[in-house]
């Protein structure tokens, strides 16, 4: 059996190396998903049975597209429903990223971006984030863009997985203008935008209608298992992506789209509850970090991730350090290096876990920071 050669371009994720083999009783602070229940309106809508469980148009259920359009202040023709926002990212990359070109992405950044670029035959090129809180640094991004010929797409992620850092409206505008001037597709991954602490990060749609926004019900609406996401942007960008998505999966599961519709129709209450759940967890984590480690921490701009500085001695081999924490302290967290070289000195600690797990987790971690 010969696996297709393109697979050799994909590196095994260090996240798997940490999470596979998690010992019993370990506290899961490596999670990238909400741990609270699917809101009731979503559970009920899943049971809705409009007769046959039929396909819906490739572009998505019309009612859901209308709801997503209203949420983003867009026209219904500017919405493509996909299988998670991951389905949107994959389809956009396959549709628009020419083999041999480059795709700019944040470092540290979401692990799927380099893999998606490589699967499209392109080269991932990292741009750095700001040194102070890993926020969007427009100057650094535009410098990287100017230095790299043949860029086909640029990816933004505000607020960011894994750092929680956001960016200003001005920075976003500067990047959008630079991409428009060069005819480069700008994809703004806004999947965490509604899980914010205080001010919500700006959306790409606040500064331009030229790029594409991707998002889903996975984080803010607490429903990653539904696998419902979307792309919002100029139909000229979306139509080729719809062709790819259609051949890949035909369409997103119909009951899941009805459930996503119910969640989005109740966005105000659901998103407020999610922010309260995340806020309560942040307070538990911040309190434990202060008491156990003396760390003075500030809340991220958004997400449920704390990007925690590692002890100096762990910088040489952060993966070995994370494995030691997993196996000895029985706490799972993800080394920042998994998200790119820019994350080497940090670990991603997810506070989607319960407040009790967070307090106990930090208590177990403390000796490894103090020692
Ligand atoms: C930054 C970011 N973008 C996209 C995704 C994909 O999420 P989904 O396909 O569930 O919408 C994730 C999932 O963890 C993520 O962290």
């Amino acid at each position: 059996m010969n696996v297709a050669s393109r697979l050799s371009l994909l590196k095994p994720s260090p996240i798997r190396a940490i999470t596979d083999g998690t010992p019993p009783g370990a506290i899961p602070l490596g999670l990238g998903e909400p741990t609270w229940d699917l809101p009731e309106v979503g559970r009920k809508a899943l049971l809705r049975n409009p007769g046959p469980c039929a396909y819906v148009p490739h572009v998505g259920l019309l009612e859901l597209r209308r709801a997503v359009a209203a949420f983003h202040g867009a026209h219904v023709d500017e919405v493509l429903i996909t299988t998670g926002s991951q389905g949107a990212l994959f389809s956009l990359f396959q549709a628009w990223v020419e083999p041999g070109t480059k795709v700019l992405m944040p470092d540290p950044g979401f692990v799927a971006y380099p893999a998606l670029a490589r699967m499209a035959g392109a080269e991932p090129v990292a741009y750095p984030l700001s040194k102070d809180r890993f926020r969007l640094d427009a100057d650094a991004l535009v410098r990287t863009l100017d230095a790299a010929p043949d860029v086909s797409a640029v990816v933004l992620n505000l607020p960011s997985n894994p750092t929680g850092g956001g960016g200003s409206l001005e920075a976003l505008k500067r990047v959008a203008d630079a991409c428009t001037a060069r005819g480069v597709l700008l994809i703004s991954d806004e999947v965490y935008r509604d899980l914010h602490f205080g001010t919500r990060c700006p959306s790409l749609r606040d500064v331009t209608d030229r790029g594409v926004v991707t998002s889903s019900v996975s984080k803010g609406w607490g429903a990653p298992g539904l696998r419902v996401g979307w792309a919002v942007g100029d139909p000229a960008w979306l139509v080729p992506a719809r062709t790819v998505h259609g051949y890949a999966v035909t369409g997103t599961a119909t009951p899941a789209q009805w459930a996503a519709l119910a969640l989005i129709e109740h966005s105000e209450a659901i998103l407020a509850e999610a922010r309260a759940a995340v806020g309560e967890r942040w307070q538990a984590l911040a309190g434990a970090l202060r008491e156990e480690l003396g760390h003075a921490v500030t809340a991220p701009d958004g997400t449920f991730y704390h990007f925690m500085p590692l002890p100096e001695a762990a910088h040489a081999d952060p993966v070995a350090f994370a494995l030691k924490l997993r196996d000895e302290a029985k706490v799972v967290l993800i080394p920042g290096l998994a998200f790119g070289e820019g994350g080497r000195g940090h670990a991603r600690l997810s506070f989607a876990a319960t407040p009790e797990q967070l307090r106990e987790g930090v208590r177990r971690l403390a000796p490894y920071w103090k020692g």
Side-chain angles (χ1 to χ4, degrees), residues 84-86 110 113 157 161 189 191-192 216 218-219 227:
S85 62
Q86 189 88 14
F110 179 42
Y113 302 146
N157 179 212
N161 172 11
D189 176 345
V191 79
Y192 292 98
S216 74
S218 297
K219 314 293 179 180
R227 310 307 305 129

Side-chain angles (χ1 to χ4, degrees), residues 321-333:
F321 184 67
L323 287 170
K324 189 170 146 126
L325 295 175
R326 183 194 74 179
D327 298 334
E328 287 180 9
K330 302 224 168 14
V331 179
V332 178
L333 39 72

Side-chain angles (χ1 to χ4, degrees), residues 20-267:
D20 291 353
T22 298
I27 298 189
L29 304 185
L31 295 173
E33 58 183 336
T35 51
W36 44 96
D37 288 345
L38 177 66
E40 199 184 339
V41 288
R43 287 203 297 274
K44 281 196 179 141
L46 268 177
L47 301 175
R48 178 187 164 138
N49 183 5
C53 191
Y55 293 121
V56 295
H58 287 187
V59 67
L61 191 69
L62 180 61
E63 291 87 336
L64 177 59
R65 289 172 65 219
R66 283 200 185 116
V68 170
F71 188 82
H72 286 275
H75 188 272
V76 66
D77 292 341
E78 294 177 298
V79 177
L80 168 66
I81 302 298
T82 55
T83 299
S85 62
Q86 189 88 14
L89 292 169
F90 176 81
S91 305
L92 287 163
F93 274 58
Q94 290 294 320
W96 291 102
V97 172
E98 188 65 17
T101 62
K102 297 182 171 59
V103 179
L104 263 55
M105 56 195 65
D107 176 12
F110 179 42
V111 291
Y113 302 146
L116 290 169
R118 289 196 180 100
M119 279 195 282
E123 184 192 335
V125 174
Y127 63 81
L129 300 172
S130 74
K131 294 212 169 25
D132 57 323
R133 301 191 61 204
F134 294 101
R135 304 183 90 238
L136 174 63
D137 178 343
D139 287 341
L141 194 158
V142 173
R143 263 199 308 277
T144 312
L145 188 58
D146 286 339
D150 300 331
V151 174
S152 50
V154 172
V155 184
L156 295 175
N157 179 212
L158 311 181
S160 141
N161 172 11
T163 73
S168 68
L169 192 72
E170 296 69 39
L172 202 54
K173 176 141 184 35
R174 172 114 203 271
V175 172
D177 289 348
C179 288
T180 303
R182 291 161 184 77
V184 167
L185 169 61
L186 178 57
I187 301 173
S188 180
D189 176 345
E190 301 183 3
V191 79
Y192 292 98
R193 183 165 177 247
D194 291 290
L195 292 179
H196 57 85
F197 298 78
T199 315
R200 193 182 187 211
C201 282
S203 166
L204 184 63
R205 294 190 65 82
D206 296 333
V207 298
T208 180
D209 52 10
R210 288 281 181 74
V212 177
V213 168
T214 58
S215 189
S216 74
V217 291
S218 297
K219 314 293 179 180
W221 288 270
L226 286 183
R227 310 307 305 129
V228 177
W230 51 84
V232 179
D234 185 335
W237 291 122
L238 300 190
V239 170
R242 185 184 77 196
T243 304
V244 173
H245 193 261
Y247 279 118
V249 296
T250 305
T252 299
T254 308
Q257 293 195 54
W258 285 114
L261 172 63
L263 295 176
I264 294 172
E265 282 174 344
H266 294 83
S267 288

